[in-house]
């Protein structure tokens, strides 16, 4: 019989009860945040996970998800609706803990996000990837995301950010 703690579990995260988990996760995944934001994450970064979203999206209908493996929070994802167009889904964040082995947890997490986007009748799922993150770009392209040709320069971090899309 399989131990349920060994199986990955995905669930919505609560902004009060799960804030300490998100804070600890961000500290442990600090390398990602140093790349993305050019600064180490702090308590505000954890709080912002529950309220941030793309322009024009309603945070109250967004999904704030945690991926748990062996009883520990090993991934965060944020799925919003209504960007870049009203009918689209937007994966604003999906990050895995650096200790997570390459055992397919990213694919499992993404598949769950796609189910939620389809249930919301989204014909497409968009995301953005940093040019400085070639491993991330390779993952998204393996999972069927394609460049849209939209790229922006982030004035705050100096990043070149590329938008990708996948038809659902």
């Amino acid at each position: 019989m399989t131990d349920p703690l060994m199986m990955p579990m995905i669930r919505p995260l609560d902004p009060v009860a799960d804030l300490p988990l998100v804070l600890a996760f961000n500290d442990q995944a600090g390398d990602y945040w140093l790349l993305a934001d050019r600064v180490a994450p702090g308590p505000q970064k954890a709080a912002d996970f529950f309220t941030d979203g793309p322009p024009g999206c309603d945070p109250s209908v967004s999904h704030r998800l945690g991926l748990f493996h062996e009883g520990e929070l090993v991934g965060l994802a944020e799925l919003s609706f209504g960007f870049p167009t009203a009918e689209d889904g937007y994966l604003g964040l999906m990050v895995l803990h650096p200790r997570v082995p390459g055992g397919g947890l990213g694919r499992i997490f993404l598949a769950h996000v796609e189910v939620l986007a389809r249930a919301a009748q989204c014909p497409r799922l968009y995301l953005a990837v940093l040019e400085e993150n070639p491993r991330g770009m390779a993952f998204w392209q393996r999972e069927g995301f394609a460049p849209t040709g939209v790229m922006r320069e982030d004035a705050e971090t100096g990043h070149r950010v590329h938008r990708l899309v996948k038809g659902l």
Side-chain angles (χ1 to χ4, degrees):
M1 182 171 189
T2 304
D3 181 351
L5 286 180
M6 299 300 284
M7 300 296 298
M9 178 188 70
I10 300 165
R11 69 167 173 81
L13 295 175
D14 179 84
V16 175
D18 293 320
L19 182 62
L21 289 175
V22 174
L23 182 59
F25 174 89
N26 283 350
D27 286 343
Q28 294 167 1
D31 287 352
Y32 171 78
W33 296 114
L34 286 173
L35 171 67
D37 295 342
R38 309 262 195 234
V39 296
Q44 190 60 49
K45 177 57 94 180
D48 290 347
F49 169 74
F50 294 100
T51 58
D52 279 353
C57 293
D58 181 356
S60 71
V61 297
S62 297
H63 294 276
R64 314 301 169 149
L65 304 170
L67 170 66
F68 293 82
H69 184 61
E70 298 179 359
E72 292 185 36
L73 179 64
V74 296
L76 296 176
E78 179 271 319
L79 172 64
S80 293
F81 303 104
F83 183 82
T85 67
E87 68 271 4
D88 294 320
Y90 191 84
L91 183 54
L93 176 71
M94 190 177 107
V95 61
L96 297 180
H97 191 287
R99 284 192 332 254
V100 171
L105 290 176
R107 295 181 102 186
I108 291 168
F109 208 10
L110 177 58
H112 184 86
V113 167
E114 289 178 358
V115 165
L116 295 173
R118 284 186 191 97
Q121 310 277 317
C122 297
R124 293 169 298 275
L125 182 61
Y126 286 86
L127 58 84
V129 65
L130 304 175
E131 192 169 279
E132 287 182 51
N133 186 1
R135 287 183 61 211
M137 179 68 83
F139 171 81
W140 297 119
Q141 289 180 327
R142 276 193 314 273
E143 296 304 314
F145 285 83
T148 63
V150 175
M151 188 276 302
R152 70 176 176 82
E153 302 269 345
D154 185 293
E156 193 173 313
T157 63
H159 284 298
R160 292 181 72 155
V161 183
H162 297 269
R163 187 179 299 164
L164 306 180
V165 65
K166 180 178 182 178
L168 299 175

